[in-house]
Amino acid sequence: MYVAVKGGETAIAHALELLADRRRGSRDVPELTLDQIDQQLAQSVDRVMTEGSCYDRQLAALAIKQARGDLIEAIFLLRAYRTTLPRFGHSEPIDTSRMSAERRISSTFKDVPGGQVLGPTFDYTHRLLDFSLMANGERPTAPTAPIDAAQIFPRVGDILEREGMLEPPPPADAGVSTQDITRDPLTLPASRPVRLQALARGDEGFLLALGYSTQRGYGNNHPFVGEIRFGAVPVSFVPEELGFPIEIAEIDVTECDMVNQFAGSHDVPPQFTRGYGLAFGHAERKAMAMALVDRALRAEELSEAVISPAQDEEFVLAHSDNVEASGFVQHLKLPHYVDFQSELVVVRALRAEVEARQQQAALDQAAE
Amino acid sequence: MSDIALGLADPAHDSQRLFRTLLDAFAHPGRIVSLTEGLAGVGSLSPAATAFLLMLVDRDTPLWFSPDLDSPIVRDFVRFHTGAPLVAREVDAQFAFLTLRRAPLLDGFAIGTDLYPDRSATLVIEVPSLVGGPPLTLRGPGIEHQACVGIAGLPASFVAEWSAHRALFPCGVDLVFVAGTELMALPRSIAVES
Amino acid sequence: MPDTVQQNGHGEGAYNYAYLDEQTKRMIRRAILKAVAVPGYQVPFGGREMPLPYGWGTGGIQVTAAIIGRDDTLKVIDQGADDTTNAVSIRRFFARVAGVATTTRTEEATIIQTRHRVPETSLKDGQILVFQVPIPEPLRMLEPRETETRTLHALCEYGVMQVSLYESIARHGRIAKTYNYPVLVNGRYIMSPSPIPKFDNPKLDRNPALQLYGAGREKRIYAVPPYTSVKSLDFEDHPFEIERWTECCALCGSTESFLDEMIVDDTGKRRFICSDTDYCQERQDGQRR
């Protein structure tokens, strides 16, 4: 007999095998190694680590390979692994002023202490397909200045801040542990640290569109890139038994300090305000979009009218997570025939009532 | 540390079994269940209270002990096995362990808010016995018609105090009475009459 | 802390028994107790990322993972059937990470995880029915903001729901809501029964089994204890009614079960069979004996 979507054990097993087979693709083509993904698809790895909230290039590369390059699927894989890891504690806040920066630009000043460092960027590439990449030729190593680990890049924001032109960053709540959105349910209104966590994990495309909308008048942003920097920062941890921080790793991050105009008020002199973005690896688009949305979400705090989607905390936080969104959109593929049957029953009944009324009306009319 | 009593022998499976028993008690207020995972009571805590502690308490759940239950043995046990913060004020506790000596029994604990009634304390109350006390009738969710219980040592004022407390519903505390290895739950949804 | 990750001995050594770590289980267990204590109230919980997609039962899976043990017998259904792909997938998951016995027989199961149906066979004291919930908030389609709906629940201010049902009557001559039909639990909280057909609503009322509802994406757990009043919302002049079919099940002849409609050929010929595959099979077996 006809069996609807009832698949069963065997069908699923076969589907899994087929998927694994398709993932491998033609056996005539060498299989990708995780090192290749890590090195040559580095920005995919960066995105998966950022939105997967897990800094591990090998695991992210594995997730990308397993997901056939579907980055949202890879983010999902990495998160589902991360959630099972025991938690030993949390690191000290990273200090990006100690970054050994490979790239650092400011669009608010022509020159800044430490200088503008262009670094590896797509910004000035001409988007012409490079057919030389189709051939398997080796590429000469790019000329680079020797890295000066002692070189310190003072943050542009700090300089403006000293002048009182820019609001200081919110004070660190010493001893108060920030809520962890991967462990505690989100409650609204949310604090800025909670919002920033959600944005850091948030879907790049969603944040990009929202950030963009603020530039087009949906949110009253007048942003300047105070600074974008990318490079390695040390991570420290205080083991309970030692009581002082030890350096446990070095990670690459991209930071964006977005400077926004603020009109000031009767009592507060006009001052620039901040939007902040931070992402693992090299992810400028993400960090910038995050900074724009962070600033937009501060509307209420800064007594601005909340009228646009990007300013609406509940709307943004409830919809920024791509693993949640992807799951719920795609769950429509699951069978819904029980609900649909209920709808069929009622729609048929309603239609029958309307038809009966129409027939009756026609009879009444004929009788007149 | 060697004089600290052992915890659950097989944490994942023991606490699962204990929890299912506790869930059964919460789902059937007035039902007496037995928490038997071979645990001895620690300090002045009964085996049932000790089991409750080991299965549900951890570093995310602030704890409070009434003075007559508090002791260095209990504190060391809690610190070693659960890592739970011990709080000085009962209002800060998510779980409170007390005896019937406290009067009024229910005052001073977190009862949640109308928006978040779940932000409330669960009280684990040591009693001499879950039977033989003044007869009480329970009605409410989890009870088909009515349940008759006789918790020993319950003060006469309890029924009135509980009724007043229930007027705050959905806010309120949930009670767990323990005696030896036995336990009975009285969630805030339950009406109690003499 | 002595407990953390334990090997479960089922070939998935990197993961704890029933997938979740013990700390997460404790957190969920605490939420479940609150849910039981305040029937129908949605308890926020620190929902974890599960290895199955959001919207595919992660809430139900987390609830099941937090309560399941080696002594349990698990049944998983989707649309009433044990053999729908997602039910198979979830059952496989628990067989793998918790090593539990599974069954398709409603009466043999100690835990039944379900999506969109309540079994036709009456449940017993001691059984636990775990619902997978996509949108736990019954007022969500009337008021999208959590901050608003939470306040409405706190104030027990449910006029917006009454108005919406009344509008349906004004428009269609009846309450046209057919699934996820709102209920009032223990006279206090309006609750989403999850997208079960309203046909199943009467089974929720004073059921001897414990009902636990898990919404993973929305990170909420709620419960209906045994023998608790669950009333489908209605009006005196428009009492609550369930679906009826003029057909009976083509396989077991039942006239009392929820029927799935199947289109069996290109001319649109239809056939009706029980949505609850276990119930249908039991009846067929009984007829053969």
Side-chain angles (χ1 to χ4, degrees):
Chain A
M1 73 168 260
Y2 176 89
V3 181
V5 284
K6 298 179 179 180
E9 200 93 31
T10 325
I12 292 180
H14 287 167
L16 295 177
E17 276 171 38
L18 190 58
L19 176 69
D21 182 85
R22 291 292 190 271
R23 181 199 62 70
R24 176 60 184 86
S26 167
R27 307 305 198 264
D28 297 337
V29 178
E31 178 153 12
L32 269 175
T33 66
L34 299 190
D35 286 342
Q36 285 171 335
I37 295 171
D38 174 10
Q39 292 297 306
Q40 297 174 37
L41 298 176
Q43 297 205 335
S44 292
V45 171
D46 292 341
R47 180 172 177 195
V48 170
M49 292 194 307
T50 298
E51 292 172 34
S53 305
C54 181
Y55 196 100
D56 188 317
R57 302 197 70 86
Q58 280 286 304
L59 288 180
L62 171 61
I64 291 167
K65 178 174 175 172
Q66 187 179 333
R68 308 179 72 191
D70 179 333
L71 296 189
I72 293 182
E73 190 66 32
I75 290 161
F76 184 8
L77 284 169
L78 190 59
R79 285 198 196 173
Y81 177 75
R82 174 193 187 275
T83 198
T84 65
L85 299 177
R87 175 100 21 142
F88 299 114
H90 48 82
S91 67
E92 296 293 289
I94 57 171
D95 179 1
T96 51
S97 70
R98 287 177 60 201
M99 178 185 284
S100 143
E102 194 171 351
R103 169 167 163 78
R104 186 281 195 110
I105 56 159
S106 168
S107 59
T108 46
F109 296 100
K110 185 169 184 182
D111 201 5
V112 284
Q116 308 260 16
V117 181
L118 213 45
T121 172
F122 288 117
D123 288 353
Y124 302 102
T125 58
H126 295 150
R127 268 64 169 195
L128 304 170
L129 281 174
D130 180 357
F131 291 101
S132 73
L133 293 176
M134 287 175 82
N136 286 335
E138 269 311 325
R139 202 162 189 88
T141 308
T144 46
I147 291 176
D148 179 4
Q151 164 81 302
I152 294 287
F153 295 95
R155 277 187 297 236
V156 175
D158 297 347
I159 301 166
L160 274 170
E161 190 192 316
R162 278 200 294 276
E163 222 183 308
M165 291 293 285
L166 182 65
E167 60 168 355
D173 296 334
V176 176
S177 67
T178 298
Q179 191 189 341
D180 178 347
I181 62 165
T182 68
R183 303 181 74 77
D184 305 317
L186 178 70
T187 50
L188 299 167
S191 65
R192 190 168 177 214
V194 163
R195 288 202 306 252
L196 286 169
Q197 283 179 61
L199 296 179
R201 281 159 66 83
D203 182 70
E204 179 174 323
F206 180 74
L207 297 186
L208 180 66
L210 281 177
Y212 176 46
S213 74
T214 68
Q215 292 179 281
R216 292 193 64 262
Y218 288 86
N220 194 33
N221 250 4
H222 301 281
F224 300 93
V225 170
E227 181 177 330
I228 291 172
R229 56 173 65 196
F230 158 66
V233 289
V235 178
S236 303
F237 181 77
V238 182
E240 211 176 326
E241 56 274 28
L242 290 185
F244 56 85
I246 51 167
E247 230 173 88
I248 51 168
E250 197 174 65
I251 62 172
D252 286 340
V253 296
T254 306
E255 182 184 54
C256 173
D257 216 350
M258 200 71 87
V259 175
N260 296 262
Q261 210 175 49
F262 174 51
S265 66
H266 192 63
D267 311 312
V268 184
Q271 195 182 33
F272 291 101
T273 55
R274 284 181 143 131
Y276 186 75
L278 187 77
F280 286 152
H282 197 178
E284 288 177 26
R285 193 192 302 114
K286 169 67 188 268
M288 293 175 75
M290 175 176 167
L292 289 174
V293 178
D294 170 46
R295 175 59 186 81
L297 288 175
R298 297 181 60 204
E300 208 166 280
E301 171 200 341
L302 298 169
S303 309
E304 297 166 348
V306 177
I307 42 172
S308 302
Q311 298 170 308
D312 184 330
E313 175 180 275
E314 181 159 354
F315 179 79
V316 173
L317 298 192
H319 302 111
S320 60
D321 191 293
N322 55 26
V323 176
E324 290 177 3
S326 167
F328 202 50
V329 166
Q330 297 204 62
H331 105 285
L332 294 172
K333 291 183 282 192
L334 288 175
H336 283 80
Y337 47 75
V338 166
D339 333 5
F340 189 68
Q341 179 62 219
S342 299
E343 295 277 87
L344 275 179
V345 170
V346 78
V347 171
R348 280 194 186 121
L350 290 172
R351 286 177 63 87
E353 282 169 15
V354 172
E355 276 163 25
R357 272 204 301 277
Q358 283 170 344
Q359 275 171 10
Q360 191 57 46
L363 284 175
D364 291 351
Q365 209 170 21
E368 273 167 20
Chain B
M1 297 295 263
S2 60
D3 51 353
I4 291 175
L6 295 176
L8 298 169
D10 185 354
H13 295 105
D14 290 352
S15 53
Q16 185 273 335
R17 272 193 298 273
L18 288 169
F19 176 71
R20 281 292 282 284
T21 310
L22 180 68
L23 179 59
D24 188 45
F26 262 75
H28 301 92
R31 182 179 283 185
I32 295 172
V33 300
S34 187
L35 297 178
T36 52
E37 291 299 334
L39 282 167
V42 171
S44 308
L45 298 178
S46 62
T50 308
F52 185 98
L53 199 129
L54 288 171
M55 86 173 109
L56 280 184
V57 169
D58 58 30
R59 58 191 66 213
D60 294 332
T61 56
L63 273 192
W64 181 86
F65 288 99
S66 64
D68 50 352
L69 291 178
D70 202 351
S71 68
I73 294 176
V74 167
R75 285 178 172 251
D76 286 347
F77 184 83
V78 166
R79 203 171 295 123
F80 180 76
H81 286 292
T82 72
L86 290 161
V87 294
R89 303 187 314 160
E90 48 267 66
V91 70
D92 296 323
Q94 189 168 343
F95 292 109
F97 291 74
L98 54 147
T99 67
L100 291 171
R101 250 172 262 165
R102 183 184 169 85
L105 194 61
L106 309 173
D107 280 9
F109 297 101
I111 58 166
T113 63
D114 285 333
L115 289 176
Y116 293 97
D118 54 302
R119 294 178 182 173
S120 55
T122 301
L123 275 46
V124 180
I125 305 174
E126 296 278 358
V127 296
S129 168
L130 296 177
V131 295
L136 298 176
T137 305
L138 314 187
R139 284 191 187 81
I143 302 171
E144 187 169 11
H145 303 295
Q146 58 185 50
C148 298
V149 302
I151 301 163
L154 216 48
S157 58
F158 178 77
V159 172
E161 197 184 343
W162 183 252
S163 300
H165 192 73
R166 275 201 73 237
L168 307 170
F169 189 88
C171 295
V173 296
D174 304 311
L175 307 187
V176 173
F177 294 103
V178 288
T181 59
E182 294 187 326
L183 177 151
M184 180 197 295
L186 185 64
R188 68 191 83 170
S189 56
I190 300 301
V192 178
E193 287 168 27
S194 321
Chain C
M1 294 210 347
D3 68 50
T4 40
V5 175
Q6 278 225 327
Q7 305 272 319
N8 66 34
H10 294 281
E12 304 288 325
Y15 296 105
N16 191 30
Y17 179 77
Y19 179 78
L20 298 174
D21 60 278
E22 291 303 305
Q23 195 178 355
T24 299
K25 285 186 199 166
R26 277 193 295 270
M27 176 272 295
I28 296 174
R29 287 168 183 167
R30 294 191 294 256
I32 290 173
L33 294 181
K34 294 285 191 225
V36 171
V38 190
Y41 165 71
Q42 303 162 50
V43 182
F45 79 110
R48 299 293 192 252
E49 318 255 17
M50 296 299 286
L52 282 79
Y54 283 119
W56 298 55
T58 54
I61 291 169
Q62 287 180 80
V63 168
T64 299
I67 62 173
I68 202 165
R70 288 185 292 208
D71 306 332
D72 278 308
T73 304
L74 176 70
K75 172 181 166 80
V76 184
I77 51 173
D78 188 341
Q79 315 292 299
D82 299 272
D83 56 356
T84 34
T85 41
N86 203 43
V88 169
S89 167
I90 292 171
R91 193 164 52 242
R92 260 180 67 231
F93 177 73
F94 281 110
R96 187 169 165 183
V97 300
V100 290
T102 60
T103 183
T104 58
R105 300 273 310 275
T106 297
E107 58 180 35
E108 281 175 6
T110 54
I111 300 174
I112 301 171
Q113 181 167 328
T114 178
R115 176 169 173 267
H116 295 194
R117 276 310 311 275
V118 177
E120 307 287 2
T121 310
S122 302
L123 302 176
K124 295 171 300 201
D125 185 336
Q127 288 184 306
I128 301 178
L129 189 56
V130 178
F131 291 80
Q132 302 172 199
V133 182
I135 305 270
E137 178 48 67
L139 307 170
R140 183 62 70 234
M141 294 305 146
L142 308 172
E143 169 51 64
R145 284 178 192 281
E146 163 75 11
T147 38
E148 291 293 324
T149 52
R150 187 160 281 277
T151 305
L152 296 178
H153 284 294
L155 300 173
C156 206
E157 176 49 68
Y158 293 130
V160 58
M161 179 63 89
Q162 298 291 343
V163 168
S164 125
L165 296 178
Y166 204 80
E167 279 172 357
S168 181
I169 293 171
R171 190 185 169 93
H172 302 296
R174 65 172 79 191
I175 297 172
K177 196 152 180 57
T178 57
Y179 62 92
N180 208 349
Y181 190 104
V183 294
L184 183 67
V185 177
N186 195 32
R188 175 57 180 84
Y189 282 100
I190 287 191
M191 182 189 96
S192 158
S194 87
I196 57 172
K198 64 178 179 176
F199 179 90
D200 286 341
N201 275 24
K203 297 179 199 161
L204 306 180
D205 183 40
R206 303 190 59 78
N207 195 307
L210 170 62
Q211 305 164 40
L212 300 177
Y213 295 77
R217 193 176 37 76
E218 303 276 346
K219 301 179 177 57
R220 297 288 184 275
I221 288 172
Y222 52 102
V224 176
Y227 310 112
T228 300
S229 151
V230 178
K231 189 182 177 318
S232 302
L233 301 182
D234 62 359
F235 298 94
E236 240 169 59
D237 48 344
H238 286 276
F240 174 79
E241 288 177 336
I242 60 172
E243 300 90 332
R244 297 267 174 226
W245 286 260
T246 47
E247 301 81 0
C248 64
C249 172
L251 300 177
C252 75
S254 175
T255 54
E256 277 154 20
S257 64
F258 188 92
L259 299 177
D260 282 342
E261 175 174 340
M262 304 199 174
I263 303 171
V264 288
D265 65 21
D266 292 350
T267 66
K269 195 170 157 226
R270 281 164 170 75
R271 198 170 178 207
F272 291 81
I273 61 166
C274 293
S275 138
D276 184 334
T277 48
D278 170 60
Y279 169 84
C280 192
Q281 193 62 48
E282 291 293 305
R283 281 177 51 88
Q284 291 175 60
D285 292 349
Q287 287 155 6
R288 252 176 245 131
R289 274 197 289 273

